[in-house]
Amino acid sequence: LNMSSSVINISEHLSCPLGFGHYNAVDICILETVVIVLLTFLIIAGNLTVIFVFHCAPLLHHYTTSYFIQTMAYADLFVGVSCLVPTLSLLHYSTGVHESLTCQVFGYIISVLKSVSMACLACISVDRYLAITKPLSYNQLVTPCRLRICIILIWIYSCLIFLPSFFGWGKPGYHGDIFEWCATSWLTNAYFTGFIVCLLYAPAAFVICFTYFHIFKICRQHTKEINDRRARFPSHEVDAAGETGHSPDRRYAMVLFRITSVFYMLWLPYIIYFLLESSRVLENPALSFLTTWLAISNSFCNCVIYSLSNSV
């Protein structure tokens, strides 16, 4: 009875996107709570594992992309930690005097962290592109110092791009809509959404598409050349060259391409709905909740892809 009354109390204060009638609303609130609690646990546990593996395996640091992968892991870990805010709000609800500030800060932090992940994926694709197109000068172009500067710039840029939301210009995302104030009083703005798309989503997507298209094109050409040489000069030397040439780079690029593809598959519904709602074309709280937490679930999916795609 106590649990039932607590859930009913939650349903009265929080925006439940689905359900007609009181009991349906309670069921939906329970479902929302289960989804958020489960994702929070998986994101924190998965990214702690990734960070632990990097800490215990120094050989992984020989890959320059490990800087970006670790940055993504820390950003995703902070996403999981930030998700404790709505989790605790649902499990142990309090009236919250500063609900508006809480959901603004929560939405801003999550948006910044996911922006860091998106920018890191774009930088990884550029790193792999340079490794394959300029193998002889790669070590001079990509140095640990430059990588650290790049990561610092990513964090600064991500923090700045969502800052206007604090001054009343739009809403960075739906991450705070578990709070009633965020769902009803904090509205999106078409101009701010276009600003985010033009300065973050579109450039990152363009860079990733451009680099991976050329990476796989070059790898295909090298594979064809190696096969031609093999056919003309069947020897162990050519086989060894084929084994140690661009094949490892191609396999590594494939792993990173899978990570990037899953990222955009999970984030594309969110971005599309964000654009439609900002333009006042579509407004559906259920879709808002589903697309938001589908996108946030990517913070855990990266860990699964690492383990399934790369035994190292």
Side-chain angles (χ1 to χ4, degrees), residues 4 16 40 44 69 85 94 106 112 130 139 160 176 201 214 227 253 277:
S4 299
C16 292
T40 301
I44 292 174
I69 291 175
V85 174
S94 61
F106 174 73
V112 167
L130 292 174
N139 289 331
L160 290 177
Y201 297 151
H214 284 85
N227 290 335
E277 206 279 339

Side-chain angles (χ1 to χ4, degrees), residues 53 67 82 181 187:
V53 168
Y67 287 86
S82 300
W181 187 88
L187 301 178

Side-chain angles (χ1 to χ4, degrees), residues 213-271:
F213 172 78
H214 284 85
I215 285 170
F216 291 121
K217 182 181 176 182
I218 292 167
C219 287
R220 196 179 300 112
Q221 289 174 349
H222 281 281
T223 303
K224 185 176 180 297
E225 289 173 5
I226 289 168
N227 290 335
D228 290 343
R229 288 180 189 174
R230 238 180 234 157
R232 275 188 275 175
F233 310 104
S235 66
H236 295 293
E237 291 181 4
V238 175
D239 288 342
E243 291 295 328
T244 59
H246 283 266
S247 182
D249 280 334
R250 190 175 190 277
R251 283 197 298 270
Y252 193 43
M254 276 301 298
V255 173
L256 299 171
F257 180 71
R258 288 190 198 108
I259 292 169
T260 305
S261 300
V262 170
F263 182 93
Y264 276 96
M265 280 191 290
L266 294 175
W267 272 82
L268 194 58
Y270 170 81
I271 295 170

Side-chain angles (χ1 to χ4, degrees), residues 126-176:
V126 173
D127 176 81
R128 291 298 87 202
Y129 176 77
L130 292 174
I132 288 178
T133 58
K134 301 183 182 296
L136 299 179
S137 58
Y138 174 77
N139 289 331
Q140 285 75 38
L141 289 172
V142 183
T143 62
C145 180
R146 288 178 180 175
L147 288 171
R148 292 189 186 98
I149 292 172
C150 182
I151 289 169
I152 291 170
L153 290 176
I154 286 172
W155 280 98
I156 293 173
Y157 183 78
S158 300
C159 289
L160 290 177
I161 197 172
F162 290 102
L163 205 56
S165 63
F166 272 112
F167 301 100
W169 191 37
K171 182 178 181 181
Y174 298 101
H175 313 298

Side-chain angles (χ1 to χ4, degrees), residues 16-177:
C16 292
L18 298 175
F20 302 93
H22 182 69
Y23 291 104
N24 285 336
V26 172
D27 292 339
I28 292 301
C29 277
I30 293 173
L31 180 61
E32 285 184 7
T33 306
V34 170
V35 169
I36 296 172
V37 170
L38 181 62
L39 278 179
T40 301
F41 171 77
L42 291 176
I43 290 169
I44 292 174
N47 286 287
L48 279 176
T49 303
V50 173
I51 293 167
F52 177 75
V53 168
F54 271 98
H55 178 73
C56 296
L59 289 176
L60 290 175
H61 294 281
H62 292 170
Y63 292 100
T64 53
T65 48
S66 69
Y67 287 86
F68 296 113
I69 291 175
Q70 288 182 83
T71 302
M72 287 171 58
Y74 279 107
D76 289 336
L77 175 63
F78 292 143
V79 167
V81 173
S82 300
C83 287
L84 288 172
V85 174
T87 300
L88 295 174
S89 178
L90 283 168
L91 293 176
H92 186 66
Y93 182 72
S94 61
T95 54
V97 179
H98 303 290
E99 185 182 339
S100 60
L101 180 62
T102 301
C103 72
Q104 276 187 312
V105 171
F106 174 73
Y108 172 78
I109 289 174
I110 294 286
S111 298
V112 167
L113 293 172
K114 298 316 297 179
S115 171
V116 169
S117 294
M118 194 175 293
C120 282
L121 288 172
C123 289
I124 286 173
S125 69
V126 173
D127 176 81
R128 291 298 87 202
Y129 176 77
L130 292 174
I132 288 178
T133 58
K134 301 183 182 296
L136 299 179
S137 58
Y138 174 77
N139 289 331
Q140 285 75 38
L141 289 172
V142 183
T143 62
C145 180
R146 288 178 180 175
L147 288 171
R148 292 189 186 98
I149 292 172
C150 182
I151 289 169
I152 291 170
L153 290 176
I154 286 172
W155 280 98
I156 293 173
Y157 183 78
S158 300
C159 289
L160 290 177
I161 197 172
F162 290 102
L163 205 56
S165 63
F166 272 112
F167 301 100
W169 191 37
K171 182 178 181 181
Y174 298 101
H175 313 298
D177 277 5

